[in-house]
Amino acid sequence: RDLVTVIDTLVEGTHFPGDIKPADLGYRAVAVNLSDIAAMGARPMWMTLALTTPPKPDEWLDEFASGLFAAASEQDVALVGGDTTGGPCVVVSVQMAGDVCEGGALLRSGAQPGDTIYVTGTLGDAAAGLSMLGSVNADEYLVGRFLRPTARVTTGLQLEGVASACIDVSDGLAGDLRKLLQASGVGADLNLDALPLSDAMLAAFDEDVGRRFAATGGDDYELCFTSSHNVPAEIGGVPVTAIGTVNDSADLVCRSAGAIVEIDDSGYRHF
């Protein structure tokens, strides 16, 4: 089997607000790495943790650990080592390893003209939840989608032999899809009207606002993949929606009601 490794760093004030519950932070730190493993169609196995923090009470550390191990236990991932250091703000780095059948890892570079573009679950929920964080009228489901994302590990494992390319949606669908297209040397037509929205999203926001969240909002950690096969409407217990088609144009064109729509697909950038 092949070994795959991923690493993700969460910085206070950049990736999460300082008043987030420590249990949610611990859970999220593991989940975002599980999502990267899922996007490669791999099985997660173990992780290491590097935690930097100002002085914190024991209760904070206990709660952080409870969230961390809650997420890890869902996929039988073991914490095998790491490091703790003092610093001016909380920084959490998790490195995770997994394995996949030899030569079977899903890459971003395999999409071909004619492939259909699919996405799991619903989009935009996490960005909508983040916009509500701290509000008295915040929707519990949407906020939960940001604080405790669900990594699609089971679905990723079942995409072997089905997906030609795959990426997880962490920085926004349009931006992440463009990364996949660039790695594959292809273009695509994206149907914004087909983007799947949750009932909670439609209840809290106008549909046009929901579509913008779905197209550009980050932190959903759904899987976006391409395939030339007849893909079922559900994989690994998760709904799958066709949202576009790969072509040889070397560009991403977004459409709504047949008209071309300009959107910001740059995604989140650190620098």
Side-chain angles (χ1 to χ4, degrees), residues 111-135:
Q112 298 292 324
D115 285 357
T116 300
I117 304 167
Y118 297 90
V119 70
T120 61
T122 55
L123 296 172
D125 293 332
L130 177 60
S131 75
M132 294 177 157
L133 210 59
S135 170

Side-chain angles (χ1 to χ4, degrees), residues 16-194:
F16 62 91
D19 59 355
I20 189 175
K21 293 181 180 178
D24 290 334
L25 176 58
Y27 189 99
R28 182 176 171 79
V30 174
V32 299
N33 282 276
L34 286 170
S35 182
D36 282 335
I37 293 285
M40 289 187 280
R43 175 184 62 180
M45 296 189 297
W46 64 77
M47 64 182 182
T48 58
L49 166 70
L51 175 64
T52 299
T53 176
K56 295 285 187 182
D58 290 346
E59 291 79 11
W60 190 97
L61 295 170
D62 289 342
E63 291 178 23
F64 174 84
S66 71
L68 184 102
F69 286 118
S73 65
E74 291 177 3
Q75 299 295 335
D76 294 326
V77 174
L79 178 64
V80 298
D83 189 25
T84 54
T85 59
C89 68
V90 176
V91 180
V92 186
S93 292
V94 171
Q95 183 179 36
M96 189 173 293
D99 73 338
V100 65
C101 291
E102 186 174 359
L106 301 178
L107 307 176
R108 300 178 181 182
S109 55
Q112 298 292 324
D115 285 357
T116 300
I117 304 167
Y118 297 90
V119 70
T120 61
T122 55
L123 296 172
D125 293 332
L130 177 60
S131 75
M132 294 177 157
L133 210 59
S135 170
V136 294
N137 298 318
D139 182 271
E140 183 177 350
Y141 173 80
L142 296 177
V143 171
R145 286 273 282 159
F146 171 76
L147 294 177
R148 296 206 173 199
T150 300
R152 303 303 189 186
V153 174
T154 300
T155 302
L157 289 169
Q158 295 184 23
L159 289 179
E160 182 181 356
V162 175
S164 54
C166 188
I167 191 171
D168 69 328
V169 181
S170 57
D171 296 330
L173 172 68
D176 286 328
L177 175 58
R178 184 175 289 279
K179 295 172 189 173
L180 183 152
L181 298 173
Q182 289 175 340
S184 298
V186 294
D189 277 315
L190 177 63
N191 180 8
L192 299 178
D193 299 325

